[in-house]
Amino acid sequence: GDSVTQMEGPVTLSEEAFLTINCTYTATGYPSLFWYVQYPGEGLQLLLKATKADDKGSNKGFEATYRKETTSFHLEKGSVQVSDSAVYFCALSGGGSNYKLTFGKGTLLTVNP
Amino acid sequence: DTAVSQTPKYLVTQMGNDKSIKCEQNLGHDTMYWYKQDSKKFLKIMFSYNNKELIINETVPNRFSPKSPDKAHLNLHINSLELGDSAVYFCASSQDSYGTEAFFGQGTRLTVV
């Protein structure tokens, strides 16, 4: 079945550092790809999405590009803030994964002042 | 005017009890879900409903019974609670089932003692 693999954390960075969280996927068909963020004690919020190859999703300074040739959707931010500390989940839906989101295991990011 | 709301937010109960979690969405979406998040933050689909019909039952024990009285509601009833049922349960909805993003509730933290 479809699956998502993302880099294991935790990731600890200083404020204003560059962030990359790697995500690769295995899927039949052409899924949509997502990054969700979960702040402490809260539910999941959609951070960004891309629905087809070469699409770039962006939001709040984060961005990720749907790379079909490498089956990847890496999350990047040029300068992280303390408020970005959260768990980040890569996910896919559609293609062979209709009627559900398939998630990676999540990456805990801690940003220190 | 919360988009996806679930109650209660916290639930502490003894082994063997029966409990319910309620979920409502006001987004007009066709598809609703229940996800379980374990202590390591891993998210796994439990059930998926489309227009009140069960589409996915992901090898969840029979003690868990979802009910969708209408398109806007998806409740989760759990019989004979066990220690291993302790987790955070998330309700979510999406416009359709083919790769659109899902909107999540705030979660219900279930603790079985």
Side-chain angles (χ1 to χ4, degrees):
Chain A
D2 294 357
S3 64
V4 175
T5 302
Q6 62 180 102
M7 66 186 276
E8 301 221 1
V11 174
T12 303
L13 296 173
S14 297
E15 210 164 20
E16 299 184 4
F18 184 85
L19 169 71
T20 300
I21 301 178
N22 289 338
C23 172
T24 57
Y25 67 90
T26 303
T28 54
Y30 302 98
S32 295
L33 302 175
F34 308 90
W35 278 99
Y36 281 84
V37 59
Q38 185 177 25
Y39 298 103
E42 296 187 14
L44 279 80
Q45 301 174 26
L46 178 67
L47 182 59
L48 54 84
K49 67 176 182 179
T51 57
K52 60 183 189 298
D54 300 325
D55 268 3
K56 178 186 279 190
S58 60
N59 186 25
K60 299 181 182 180
F62 291 89
E63 57 183 35
T65 301
Y66 191 140
R67 300 278 187 210
K68 187 163 166 259
E69 63 276 13
T70 54
T71 61
S72 64
F73 193 54
H74 305 320
L75 182 68
E76 296 183 337
K77 187 176 185 184
S79 176
V80 293
Q81 306 300 312
V82 172
S83 57
D84 294 326
S85 298
V87 181
Y88 291 81
F89 293 92
C90 185
L92 64 81
S93 180
S97 287
N98 288 331
Y99 298 105
K100 65 179 179 181
L101 276 163
T102 298
F103 285 93
K105 290 188 175 180
T107 302
L108 173 62
L109 170 67
T110 301
V111 181
N112 295 318
Chain B
D1 58 342
T2 306
V4 181
S5 59
Q6 52 181 111
T7 54
K9 189 168 181 183
Y10 300 97
L11 190 49
V12 181
T13 188
Q14 291 189 324
M15 281 175 55
N17 283 351
D18 303 339
K19 289 293 177 187
S20 292
I21 307 172
K22 295 188 175 182
C23 178
E24 176 182 6
Q25 54 97 0
N26 64 3
L27 298 167
H29 287 168
D30 286 341
T31 307
M32 294 187 74
Y33 314 85
W34 279 108
Y35 282 85
K36 180 179 180 181
Q37 186 174 45
D38 63 22
S39 58
K40 295 185 178 178
K41 301 288 190 184
F42 184 61
L43 283 152
K44 187 168 166 52
I45 183 76
M46 298 175 68
F47 301 103
S48 172
Y49 270 73
N50 189 59
N51 278 318
K52 302 193 301 175
E53 291 198 20
L54 177 66
I55 304 296
I56 288 179
N57 177 343
E58 200 84 351
T59 60
V60 178
N62 290 340
R63 299 182 296 102
F64 290 78
S65 52
K67 281 201 172 63
S68 182
D70 55 57
K71 215 170 73 164
H73 296 83
L74 180 62
N75 304 321
L76 183 65
H77 188 75
I78 316 169
N79 290 327
S80 304
L81 278 154
E82 301 177 355
L83 292 176
D85 297 331
S86 296
V88 181
Y89 293 85
F90 286 102
C91 177
S93 72
S94 61
Q95 186 168 1
D96 60 44
S97 318
Y98 306 107
T100 56
E101 67 264 32
F103 293 78
F104 283 77
Q106 289 292 89
T108 297
R109 181 175 293 278
L110 172 65
T111 303
V112 183
V113 297

